[in-house]
Amino acid sequence: MKHFLAISDLSSGEVQDLLDLAIKLKEEYFKKGNPPYFKGKVLGMIFQKPSLRTRVSFDMAMRHMGGDALYLSPNEIGLGKRESIADIARVLSGYLHALMARTFDHAHVLELAKWSEIPVINGLSDYNHPCQGIGDALTIQEKFGKAKGLNVAYVGDGNNVAVSLMHVCAKLGWNFTIANPEGYDLNPKAVEIAKENAKETGIKLTFLRDPHEAVKGAQVIYTDTWTSMGQEEETAKREKVFPPYQVNAQLVSEADKDVIVMHCLPAHRNQELTDDVADGPHSVIFPQAHNRLHAQKAILARLFGVG
Ligand code: CP
Ligand code: NVA
């Protein structure tokens, strides 16, 4: 692995290897702490938008394993404004050992990776959120094991998080269904990629409008914000369109009785996800958030070639 930009860049075996490593590092961390595999290494973290989970989990992943992390805010860097992305990538390559970037435009992460001599990790772009995808797969696998043929239902906006979830399902042999309103479909290129992967793993991909149909027989219900970062001017319009896609107790009762409810967070409580579901017995939203830490450690370890 040179960079970590999209789940679809990895083979099924590489995805499973990251999960196996994440499980090993998680067990090790809770038993005796992780050895200092990242000693002497510093991760630069470029953030063009806010973050809680991604920022803190990457920072702590580096510290737990003997390394360090440096936060670079939008104002400091001026990515593509104060200085070209190509120049930033080449300068930082001489100071740091890996870069994580959260950008608006996916092309900006690709541009960083093109010019960087050190590994680049996509920490969320307008296209996808692959680190989230690995953390989510870890959470699903911890609950249901490596069984193929699980039914994962995503309800809401066909956004960046949905793309990485679809791709990780396609790699791991889990059926993926999405129900979203018209006009909020998944990126068509991402769907084509998933269809190609689905041929190999034999999973079913289903694209629906009706959330009730989508959750029938689902072992996983997943939702995310109706308005992603950068789309704030559409908030009012989206708040009119998305209410039928709310994940509430009624919708959860229509799924498999052992269904888990997932959300990448931050949640807009009582919009896409009601309080009773978020804090109820089916919810795994906090273990899911915590698994980001263990997933990041595995991603970093593979990029550094250690552990
Ligand atoms: N899920 C996620 O990426 O959260 P942050 O935006 O807080 O990093
Ligand atoms: N879809 C959300 C995910 C945040 C982690 C966004 O892009 O804002």
mmCIF file with all atom_site columns, all heavy atoms in Angstrom, residues 257-270:
data_model
loop_
_atom_site.group_PDB
_atom_site.id
_atom_site.type_symbol
_atom_site.label_atom_id
_atom_site.label_alt_id
_atom_site.label_comp_id
_atom_site.label_asym_id
_atom_site.label_entity_id
_atom_site.label_seq_id
_atom_site.pdbx_PDB_ins_code
_atom_site.Cartn_x
_atom_site.Cartn_y
_atom_site.Cartn_z
_atom_site.occupancy
_atom_site.B_iso_or_equiv
_atom_site.pdbx_formal_charge
_atom_site.auth_seq_id
_atom_site.auth_comp_id
_atom_site.auth_asym_id
_atom_site.auth_atom_id
_atom_site.pdbx_PDB_model_num
ATOM 1   N N   . LYS A 1 257 ? -34.245 -8.861  13.675 1.00 0.00 ? 257 LYS A N   1
ATOM 2   C CA  . LYS A 1 257 ? -34.409 -8.542  15.113 1.00 0.00 ? 257 LYS A CA  1
ATOM 3   C C   . LYS A 1 257 ? -33.058 -8.224  15.784 1.00 0.00 ? 257 LYS A C   1
ATOM 4   O O   . LYS A 1 257 ? -33.019 -7.526  16.787 1.00 0.00 ? 257 LYS A O   1
ATOM 5   C CB  . LYS A 1 257 ? -35.162 -9.653  15.843 1.00 0.00 ? 257 LYS A CB  1
ATOM 6   C CG  . LYS A 1 257 ? -34.438 -10.974 15.958 1.00 0.00 ? 257 LYS A CG  1
ATOM 7   C CD  . LYS A 1 257 ? -35.232 -11.933 16.849 1.00 0.00 ? 257 LYS A CD  1
ATOM 8   C CE  . LYS A 1 257 ? -34.564 -13.268 17.092 1.00 0.00 ? 257 LYS A CE  1
ATOM 9   N NZ  . LYS A 1 257 ? -33.153 -13.418 16.880 1.00 0.00 ? 257 LYS A NZ  1
ATOM 10  N N   . ASP A 1 258 ? -31.956 -8.733  15.229 1.00 0.00 ? 258 ASP A N   1
ATOM 11  C CA  . ASP A 1 258 ? -30.629 -8.453  15.804 1.00 0.00 ? 258 ASP A CA  1
ATOM 12  C C   . ASP A 1 258 ? -29.902 -7.326  15.076 1.00 0.00 ? 258 ASP A C   1
ATOM 13  O O   . ASP A 1 258 ? -28.669 -7.219  15.156 1.00 0.00 ? 258 ASP A O   1
ATOM 14  C CB  . ASP A 1 258 ? -29.760 -9.721  15.758 1.00 0.00 ? 258 ASP A CB  1
ATOM 15  C CG  . ASP A 1 258 ? -30.323 -10.820 16.637 1.00 0.00 ? 258 ASP A CG  1
ATOM 16  O OD1 . ASP A 1 258 ? -30.832 -10.476 17.730 1.00 0.00 ? 258 ASP A OD1 1
ATOM 17  O OD2 . ASP A 1 258 ? -30.261 -12.005 16.241 1.00 0.00 ? 258 ASP A OD2 1
ATOM 18  N N   . VAL A 1 259 ? -30.649 -6.490  14.383 1.00 0.00 ? 259 VAL A N   1
ATOM 19  C CA  . VAL A 1 259 ? -30.019 -5.433  13.573 1.00 0.00 ? 259 VAL A CA  1
ATOM 20  C C   . VAL A 1 259 ? -29.161 -4.506  14.447 1.00 0.00 ? 259 VAL A C   1
ATOM 21  O O   . VAL A 1 259 ? -29.505 -4.240  15.607 1.00 0.00 ? 259 VAL A O   1
ATOM 22  C CB  . VAL A 1 259 ? -31.109 -4.626  12.818 1.00 0.00 ? 259 VAL A CB  1
ATOM 23  C CG1 . VAL A 1 259 ? -31.958 -3.796  13.779 1.00 0.00 ? 259 VAL A CG1 1
ATOM 24  C CG2 . VAL A 1 259 ? -30.498 -3.741  11.738 1.00 0.00 ? 259 VAL A CG2 1
ATOM 25  N N   . ILE A 1 260 ? -28.042 -4.054  13.876 1.00 0.00 ? 260 ILE A N   1
ATOM 26  C CA  . ILE A 1 260 ? -27.285 -2.985  14.538 1.00 0.00 ? 260 ILE A CA  1
ATOM 27  C C   . ILE A 1 260 ? -27.502 -1.695  13.751 1.00 0.00 ? 260 ILE A C   1
ATOM 28  O O   . ILE A 1 260 ? -27.660 -1.718  12.527 1.00 0.00 ? 260 ILE A O   1
ATOM 29  C CB  . ILE A 1 260 ? -25.777 -3.303  14.682 1.00 0.00 ? 260 ILE A CB  1
ATOM 30  C CG1 . ILE A 1 260 ? -25.100 -3.583  13.329 1.00 0.00 ? 260 ILE A CG1 1
ATOM 31  C CG2 . ILE A 1 260 ? -25.561 -4.446  15.654 1.00 0.00 ? 260 ILE A CG2 1
ATOM 32  C CD1 . ILE A 1 260 ? -23.567 -3.663  13.415 1.00 0.00 ? 260 ILE A CD1 1
ATOM 33  N N   . VAL A 1 261 ? -27.531 -0.591  14.484 1.00 0.00 ? 261 VAL A N   1
ATOM 34  C CA  . VAL A 1 261 ? -27.723 0.717   13.857 1.00 0.00 ? 261 VAL A CA  1
ATOM 35  C C   . VAL A 1 261 ? -26.409 1.488   13.949 1.00 0.00 ? 261 VAL A C   1
ATOM 36  O O   . VAL A 1 261 ? -25.824 1.604   15.028 1.00 0.00 ? 261 VAL A O   1
ATOM 37  C CB  . VAL A 1 261 ? -28.866 1.500   14.534 1.00 0.00 ? 261 VAL A CB  1
ATOM 38  C CG1 . VAL A 1 261 ? -28.969 2.909   13.962 1.00 0.00 ? 261 VAL A CG1 1
ATOM 39  C CG2 . VAL A 1 261 ? -30.185 0.753   14.360 1.00 0.00 ? 261 VAL A CG2 1
ATOM 40  N N   . MET A 1 262 ? -25.976 1.977   12.781 1.00 0.00 ? 262 MET A N   1
ATOM 41  C CA  . MET A 1 262 ? -24.680 2.648   12.692 1.00 0.00 ? 262 MET A CA  1
ATOM 42  C C   . MET A 1 262 ? -24.829 4.068   12.148 1.00 0.00 ? 262 MET A C   1
ATOM 43  O O   . MET A 1 262 ? -25.750 4.376   11.386 1.00 0.00 ? 262 MET A O   1
ATOM 44  C CB  . MET A 1 262 ? -23.742 1.841   11.779 1.00 0.00 ? 262 MET A CB  1
ATOM 45  C CG  . MET A 1 262 ? -23.535 0.409   12.253 1.00 0.00 ? 262 MET A CG  1
ATOM 46  S SD  . MET A 1 262 ? -22.404 -0.535  11.205 1.00 0.00 ? 262 MET A SD  1
ATOM 47  C CE  . MET A 1 262 ? -20.818 0.192   11.634 1.00 0.00 ? 262 MET A CE  1
ATOM 48  N N   . HIS A 1 263 ? -23.898 4.910   12.549 1.00 0.00 ? 263 HIS A N   1
ATOM 49  C CA  . HIS A 1 263 ? -23.826 6.292   12.066 1.00 0.00 ? 263 HIS A CA  1
ATOM 50  C C   . HIS A 1 263 ? -22.375 6.708   12.232 1.00 0.00 ? 263 HIS A C   1
ATOM 51  O O   . HIS A 1 263 ? -21.777 6.462   13.284 1.00 0.00 ? 263 HIS A O   1
ATOM 52  C CB  . HIS A 1 263 ? -24.753 7.179   12.905 1.00 0.00 ? 263 HIS A CB  1
ATOM 53  C CG  . HIS A 1 263 ? -24.951 8.565   12.371 1.00 0.00 ? 263 HIS A CG  1
ATOM 54  N ND1 . HIS A 1 263 ? -23.907 9.396   12.043 1.00 0.00 ? 263 HIS A ND1 1
ATOM 55  C CD2 . HIS A 1 263 ? -26.084 9.264   12.117 1.00 0.00 ? 263 HIS A CD2 1
ATOM 56  C CE1 . HIS A 1 263 ? -24.402 10.552  11.598 1.00 0.00 ? 263 HIS A CE1 1
ATOM 57  N NE2 . HIS A 1 263 ? -25.723 10.506  11.634 1.00 0.00 ? 263 HIS A NE2 1
ATOM 58  N N   . CYS A 1 264 ? -21.796 7.342   11.224 1.00 0.00 ? 264 CYS A N   1
ATOM 59  C CA  . CYS A 1 264 ? -20.379 7.710   11.317 1.00 0.00 ? 264 CYS A CA  1
ATOM 60  C C   . CYS A 1 264 ? -20.149 8.814   12.336 1.00 0.00 ? 264 CYS A C   1
ATOM 61  O O   . CYS A 1 264 ? -19.039 8.982   12.817 1.00 0.00 ? 264 CYS A O   1
ATOM 62  C CB  . CYS A 1 264 ? -19.873 8.141   9.946  1.00 0.00 ? 264 CYS A CB  1
ATOM 63  S SG  . CYS A 1 264 ? -20.778 9.543   9.289  1.00 0.00 ? 264 CYS A SG  1
ATOM 64  N N   . LEU A 1 265 ? -21.204 9.584   12.650 1.00 0.00 ? 265 LEU A N   1
ATOM 65  C CA  . LEU A 1 265 ? -21.149 10.768  13.507 1.00 0.00 ? 265 LEU A CA  1
ATOM 66  C C   . LEU A 1 265 ? -20.296 11.855  12.844 1.00 0.00 ? 265 LEU A C   1
ATOM 67  O O   . LEU A 1 265 ? -19.363 11.504  12.144 1.00 0.00 ? 265 LEU A O   1
ATOM 68  C CB  . LEU A 1 265 ? -20.631 10.447  14.914 1.00 0.00 ? 265 LEU A CB  1
ATOM 69  C CG  . LEU A 1 265 ? -21.395 9.329   15.673 1.00 0.00 ? 265 LEU A CG  1
ATOM 70  C CD1 . LEU A 1 265 ? -20.771 9.114   17.059 1.00 0.00 ? 265 LEU A CD1 1
ATOM 71  C CD2 . LEU A 1 265 ? -22.885 9.653   15.808 1.00 0.00 ? 265 LEU A CD2 1
ATOM 72  N N   . PRO A 1 266 ? -20.556 13.125  13.043 1.00 0.00 ? 266 PRO A N   1
ATOM 73  C CA  . PRO A 1 266 ? -21.531 13.682  13.976 1.00 0.00 ? 266 PRO A CA  1
ATOM 74  C C   . PRO A 1 266 ? -22.978 13.468  13.516 1.00 0.00 ? 266 PRO A C   1
ATOM 75  O O   . PRO A 1 266 ? -23.271 13.588  12.324 1.00 0.00 ? 266 PRO A O   1
ATOM 76  C CB  . PRO A 1 266 ? -21.200 15.180  14.008 1.00 0.00 ? 266 PRO A CB  1
ATOM 77  C CG  . PRO A 1 266 ? -20.500 15.460  12.723 1.00 0.00 ? 266 PRO A CG  1
ATOM 78  C CD  . PRO A 1 266 ? -19.795 14.193  12.344 1.00 0.00 ? 266 PRO A CD  1
ATOM 79  N N   . ALA A 1 267 ? -23.841 13.165  14.509 1.00 0.00 ? 267 ALA A N   1
ATOM 80  C CA  . ALA A 1 267 ? -25.262 12.945  14.225 1.00 0.00 ? 267 ALA A CA  1
ATOM 81  C C   . ALA A 1 267 ? -26.044 14.237  14.465 1.00 0.00 ? 267 ALA A C   1
ATOM 82  O O   . ALA A 1 267 ? -25.709 15.012  15.359 1.00 0.00 ? 267 ALA A O   1
ATOM 83  C CB  . ALA A 1 267 ? -25.793 11.853  15.137 1.00 0.00 ? 267 ALA A CB  1
ATOM 84  N N   . HIS A 1 268 ? -27.053 14.412  13.668 1.00 0.00 ? 268 HIS A N   1
ATOM 85  C CA  . HIS A 1 268 ? -28.026 15.489  13.912 1.00 0.00 ? 268 HIS A CA  1
ATOM 86  C C   . HIS A 1 268 ? -29.218 14.782  14.514 1.00 0.00 ? 268 HIS A C   1
ATOM 87  O O   . HIS A 1 268 ? -30.062 14.238  13.803 1.00 0.00 ? 268 HIS A O   1
ATOM 88  C CB  . HIS A 1 268 ? -28.344 16.212  12.621 1.00 0.00 ? 268 HIS A CB  1
ATOM 89  C CG  . HIS A 1 268 ? -27.107 16.794  12.017 1.00 0.00 ? 268 HIS A CG  1
ATOM 90  N ND1 . HIS A 1 268 ? -26.210 16.029  11.298 1.00 0.00 ? 268 HIS A ND1 1
ATOM 91  C CD2 . HIS A 1 268 ? -26.587 18.032  12.089 1.00 0.00 ? 268 HIS A CD2 1
ATOM 92  C CE1 . HIS A 1 268 ? -25.179 16.790  10.948 1.00 0.00 ? 268 HIS A CE1 1
ATOM 93  N NE2 . HIS A 1 268 ? -25.391 18.012  11.415 1.00 0.00 ? 268 HIS A NE2 1
ATOM 94  N N   . ARG A 1 269 ? -29.204 14.724  15.830 1.00 0.00 ? 269 ARG A N   1
ATOM 95  C CA  . ARG A 1 269 ? -30.192 13.910  16.542 1.00 0.00 ? 269 ARG A CA  1
ATOM 96  C C   . ARG A 1 269 ? -31.600 14.410  16.280 1.00 0.00 ? 269 ARG A C   1
ATOM 97  O O   . ARG A 1 269 ? -31.863 15.602  16.230 1.00 0.00 ? 269 ARG A O   1
ATOM 98  C CB  . ARG A 1 269 ? -29.866 13.888  18.028 1.00 0.00 ? 269 ARG A CB  1
ATOM 99  C CG  . ARG A 1 269 ? -28.722 12.901  18.330 1.00 0.00 ? 269 ARG A CG  1
ATOM 100 C CD  . ARG A 1 269 ? -28.223 13.080  19.719 1.00 0.00 ? 269 ARG A CD  1
ATOM 101 N NE  . ARG A 1 269 ? -27.272 12.031  20.065 1.00 0.00 ? 269 ARG A NE  1
ATOM 102 C CZ  . ARG A 1 269 ? -27.581 10.952  20.798 1.00 0.00 ? 269 ARG A CZ  1
ATOM 103 N NH1 . ARG A 1 269 ? -28.796 10.780  21.273 1.00 0.00 ? 269 ARG A NH1 1
ATOM 104 N NH2 . ARG A 1 269 ? -26.660 10.056  21.056 1.00 0.00 ? 269 ARG A NH2 1
ATOM 105 N N   . ASN A 1 270 ? -32.470 13.434  16.071 1.00 0.00 ? 270 ASN A N   1
ATOM 106 C CA  . ASN A 1 270 ? -33.887 13.644  15.767 1.00 0.00 ? 270 ASN A CA  1
ATOM 107 C C   . ASN A 1 270 ? -34.105 14.237  14.374 1.00 0.00 ? 270 ASN A C   1
ATOM 108 O O   . ASN A 1 270 ? -35.204 14.651  14.049 1.00 0.00 ? 270 ASN A O   1
ATOM 109 C CB  . ASN A 1 270 ? -34.591 14.442  16.869 1.00 0.00 ? 270 ASN A CB  1
ATOM 110 C CG  . ASN A 1 270 ? -34.475 13.686  18.182 1.00 0.00 ? 270 ASN A CG  1
ATOM 111 O OD1 . ASN A 1 270 ? -34.717 12.469  18.213 1.00 0.00 ? 270 ASN A OD1 1
ATOM 112 N ND2 . ASN A 1 270 ? -34.068 14.359  19.236 1.00 0.00 ? 270 ASN A ND2 1
#
